[in-house]
């Protein structure tokens, strides 16, 4: 089974304390789609401008990502730039230029509407609704978000949550949304907003799932150096959805292992700027790290 992914398809300009890289392929949907492609076929829904480099289209194609839902419109591709502090955890947005995103109206090709696994990656909640409206009885829908939407689109987000099976957000966003500093209290409060599965990401400290089978603590792969963590969260959820789409059995039976695969895929993302390290990764590299994590967490 395949995964349908909608989100941002962007050019990212990223500054770290030691390096600077302009206009790399980025966006929540790009990171999630490449991560998911290690495990299942992917259908990408997004928009880029005419300035979008051909080499990035070729990169999607190398990962066999279905681009029939990618619109190429007159105008500029969404451009985001951000700068990391010394600790590589704190990041501030320097600029967001919406470009063709300003008028983006995702229309799904007919064949896409039957997709069973749907990832509403980080994008305006109104667009996430719009995509979900076009789906026919999907089996498992997960939404991601960011602090911006908690600040400016809370109403739309609140309407979205009862419509999704799973919701993924990071620890500071969970605290902002629920006004609870305790992560386990926050998980409980988010369930009350609708989703059956809630995952809170904690950056280099892994993530925590709360679902029908209780709580699961998912480790992060222990990296010694982080080149650029941009897109790690998107790679995590993309890898998880790709794994779930092809795993035999129920979501309940597979979601813990799927999170571990997502976590390992995200670790590769952090080892290079933008998507450079992720695209070099092979499925065998992922399997090796999953085995290492298994050893590290067994007791
Ligand atoms: P992450 O590091 O997982 O938080 O995701 C970083 C990605 O989010 C970058 O590749 C950006 O292009 C993308 N991004 C930044 N701001 C926005 C936004 N307002 N809407 C959608 N995507 C965004």
């Amino acid at each position: 089974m395949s995964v349908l992914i909608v989100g941002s398809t962007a050019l990212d300009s990223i500054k770290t304390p030691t390096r600077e890289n302009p206009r790399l392929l980025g966006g929540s949907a790009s990171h999630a789609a490449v991560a998911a492609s290690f495990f299942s076929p992917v259908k990408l829904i997004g928009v880029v401008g005419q300035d979008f480099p051909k080499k990035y289209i070729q990169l999607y194609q190398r990962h066999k990502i279905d681009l029939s839902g990618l619109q190429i419109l007159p105008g500029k591709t969404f451009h985001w730039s951000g700068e990391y502090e010394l600790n590589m955890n704190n990041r501030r947005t320097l600029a967001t230029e919406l470009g063709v995103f300003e008028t983006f109206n995702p229309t799904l090709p007919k064949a896409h509407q039957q997709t069973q696994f749907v990832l509403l990656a980080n994008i305006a909640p109104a667009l996430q609704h719009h995509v979900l409206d076009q789906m026919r009885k999907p089996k498992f829908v997960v939404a991601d978000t960011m602090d911006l939407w908690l600040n400016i689109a809370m109403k739309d987000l609140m309407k979205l949550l009862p419509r999704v099976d799973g919701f993924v957000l990071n620890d500071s966003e969970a605290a902002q949304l629920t006004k609870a500093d305790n992560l386990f209290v926050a998980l409980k409060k988010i369930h009350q907003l609708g989703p059956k599965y809630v995952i809170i990401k904690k950056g280099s400290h892994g993530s925590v799932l709360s679902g029908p089978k209780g709580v699961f603590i998912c480790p992060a792969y222990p990296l010694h150096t982080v080149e650029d963590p941009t897109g790690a969260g998107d790679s995590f959820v993309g890898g998880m959805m790709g794994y779930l789409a092809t795993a035999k059995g129920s979501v309940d039976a597979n979601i813990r292992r799927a999170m571990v695969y997502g976590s390992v895929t995200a670790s590769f993302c952090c080892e290079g700027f933008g998507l450079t390290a992720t695209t070099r990764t092979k499925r065998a590299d992922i399997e090796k790290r999953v085995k290492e994590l298994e050893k590290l967490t067994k007791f």
Side-chain angles (χ1 to χ4, degrees):
M1 277 194 216
S2 53
V3 186
L4 180 124
I5 299 177
V6 62
S8 54
T9 36
L11 295 174
D12 284 353
S13 298
I14 301 162
K15 259 190 202 173
T16 66
T18 52
R19 286 175 64 193
E20 195 172 336
N21 269 298
R23 302 179 80 74
L24 295 168
L25 176 60
S28 58
S30 306
H31 282 284
V34 171
S37 75
F38 291 111
F39 310 101
S40 74
V42 177
K43 295 165 181 152
L44 179 69
I45 306 293
V47 63
V48 295
Q50 279 163 338
D51 59 344
F52 193 68
K54 241 199 188 121
K55 63 179 179 186
Y56 294 155
I57 295 280
Q58 288 161 352
L59 187 152
Y60 290 140
Q61 287 167 337
R62 278 202 301 281
H63 285 269
K64 302 197 167 38
I65 294 168
D66 181 331
L67 299 179
S68 52
L70 180 71
Q71 299 174 22
I72 302 176
L73 297 181
K76 290 205 162 160
T77 303
F78 176 81
H79 177 233
W80 173 81
S81 66
E83 182 173 19
Y84 286 89
E85 287 177 16
L86 257 182
N87 67 11
M88 293 298 277
N89 259 329
N90 300 344
R91 169 175 89 191
R92 69 189 180 100
T93 292
L94 299 174
T96 304
E97 296 152 84
L98 290 179
V100 287
F101 247 98
E102 216 148 355
T103 53
F104 182 39
N105 180 20
T107 308
L108 268 52
K110 262 238 142 55
H112 285 28
Q113 298 173 0
Q114 319 276 354
T115 315
Q116 300 272 286
F117 287 79
V118 179
L119 173 56
L120 308 171
N122 173 31
I123 195 176
L127 293 174
Q128 294 176 315
H129 273 288
H130 188 61
V131 167
L132 202 46
D133 287 343
Q134 296 170 66
M135 299 307 301
R136 291 194 172 175
K137 291 201 182 151
K139 184 174 166 187
F140 192 62
V141 181
V142 168
D144 195 352
T145 198
M146 74 185 292
D147 54 353
L148 175 69
W149 312 123
L150 299 179
N151 294 331
I152 68 166
M154 191 62 143
K155 249 189 172 172
D156 289 338
L157 188 64
M158 284 301 111
K159 274 196 233 150
L160 182 76
L161 293 185
R163 300 186 69 193
V164 302
D165 301 291
F167 185 45
V168 178
L169 70 178
N170 70 30
D171 43 7
S172 61
E173 291 154 3
Q176 184 182 346
L177 177 64
T178 61
K179 318 258 181 306
D181 287 329
N182 181 295
L183 186 139
F184 301 100
V185 173
L187 285 168
K188 239 187 174 164
K189 287 191 165 187
I190 299 170
H191 277 306
Q192 286 160 7
L193 301 173
K196 194 166 153 192
Y197 300 85
V198 182
I199 296 174
I200 297 183
K201 297 172 289 180
K202 303 188 296 159
S204 57
H205 300 292
S207 56
V208 180
L209 159 78
S210 171
K213 286 195 167 173
V215 166
F216 173 60
I217 317 272
C218 177
Y221 183 83
L223 287 178
H224 289 230
T225 48
V226 169
E227 190 85 15
D228 167 25
T230 309
D234 311 309
S235 305
F236 165 76
V237 70
M240 180 188 89
M241 287 298 277
Y243 184 87
L244 279 176
T246 45
K248 282 200 186 93
S250 65
V251 166
D252 257 349
N254 292 312
I255 192 160
R256 292 178 172 211
R257 183 159 279 271
M259 284 173 69
V260 173
Y261 274 85
S263 178
V264 163
T265 311
S267 73
F268 288 104
C269 171
C270 294
E271 290 183 304
F273 267 83
L275 272 151
T276 46
T278 318
T279 50
R280 276 200 303 264
T281 304
K282 301 273 173 290
R283 177 71 189 255
D285 304 323
I286 296 174
E287 296 296 343
K288 196 165 163 244
R289 283 194 178 176
V290 167
K291 282 215 169 79
E292 280 177 62
L293 260 194
E294 212 156 11
K295 271 194 197 153
L296 282 170
T297 53
K298 212 170 211 167
F299 62 91

